[in-house]
Amino acid sequence: MISVLLAEDMHMIRAALSALLRLERDIEVVAEVTRGDEIVPAALRTRPDVAVLDIDLPGVDGITASVELRERVPGCRVLILTAMGQPGQVRRAMTSGIEAFLVKDAPGDRLADAVRRTARGLRVLDPELVAAAVRYGASPLTPRETTVLREAARGAPAEEIARRLHLSAGTVRNYLTSAIAKTGARTRIDAVRIAEDAGWI
């Protein structure tokens, strides 16, 4: 039996994924979680063969959780579920060492096959997804620009971002201006959208 941990924050999607996997005679869902920070504790309890992780999770994202999971539960392999609109995040996952990705709108029968292949240590890569990730390339933003833009994505004004990051408001504005230029955006909101679509923040 292949034991599976399933991490998905949307209840209907998680229930559907779990139901699909439970139809398979050789796959057992041993844990279901809704947050990224619940993944490692659940994996330590259940020791799954494969963790099927949504890339976007509250608490800790699926990529960050997978890095800790490999350190704490090295026998567990990771299959990331993602949307086609997130090639930058897929690139980030690839540079983190994750080798199995499944697009969320793939046919249902591909999920069980992807779990089996992941359990055997085989790559599960959607060619279109990988091509899109390569097209976007690495983030042009510095770590500080990334942090400032991430704060801006939450709707925080420059003065609030400055307080949180212990910077001056002028320095924050400079970082935002630089991020806008590097992303080819016209406004701060546009820069946030571009960076989010690319998976840079």
Side-chain angles (χ1 to χ4, degrees):
M1 290 288 284
I2 301 169
S3 58
V4 172
L5 179 152
L6 184 58
E8 166 61 62
D9 62 320
M10 300 191 72
H11 298 289
M12 288 182 68
I13 294 175
R14 189 178 66 256
L17 293 171
S18 180
L20 278 171
L21 291 174
R22 290 176 197 278
L23 291 173
E24 305 297 323
R25 293 182 180 179
D26 59 337
I27 296 174
E28 179 186 15
V29 178
V30 294
E32 296 182 33
V33 299
T34 59
R35 295 176 53 87
D37 49 12
E38 297 172 342
I39 292 170
V40 171
L44 287 168
R45 284 193 311 272
T46 59
R47 300 287 170 173
D49 299 310
V50 177
V52 178
L53 312 180
D54 182 15
I55 204 165
D56 287 316
L57 290 166
V60 174
D61 67 81
I63 299 169
T64 303
S66 72
V67 173
E68 186 183 356
L69 187 59
R70 281 205 310 275
E71 293 172 0
R72 303 282 302 277
V73 190
C76 179
R77 300 186 183 278
V78 175
L79 170 62
I80 291 284
L81 298 179
T82 186
M84 277 300 291
Q86 300 167 315
Q89 288 186 327
V90 173
R91 184 180 177 88
R92 185 177 148 228
M94 290 170 70
T95 59
S96 298
I98 299 168
E99 298 182 330
F101 306 92
L102 186 65
V103 182
K104 279 190 173 183
D105 64 356
D109 59 349
R110 287 190 56 194
L111 177 61
D113 181 59
V115 166
R116 291 184 186 103
R117 293 183 64 197
T118 302
R120 294 199 306 268
L122 301 175
R123 284 179 172 248
V124 179
L125 300 174
D126 184 297
E128 288 182 34
L129 199 58
V130 173
V134 170
R135 273 198 310 276
Y136 264 85
S139 172
L141 304 172
T142 66
R144 185 57 92 174
E145 289 163 352
T146 301
T147 302
V148 168
L149 200 58
R150 191 176 288 126
E151 291 292 330
R154 297 185 178 115
E159 292 74 17
E160 184 181 333
I161 296 171
R163 277 196 308 276
R164 286 185 192 171
L165 302 180
H166 308 290
L167 300 169
S168 72
T171 300
V172 167
R173 288 188 190 94
N174 288 341
Y175 281 130
L176 286 171
T177 300
S178 178
I180 289 167
K182 287 182 178 180
T183 57
R186 291 173 297 186
T187 65
R188 179 169 112 164
I189 293 170
D190 198 26
V192 167
R193 180 190 57 77
I194 291 167
E196 285 181 337
D197 287 349
W200 296 333
I201 63 170

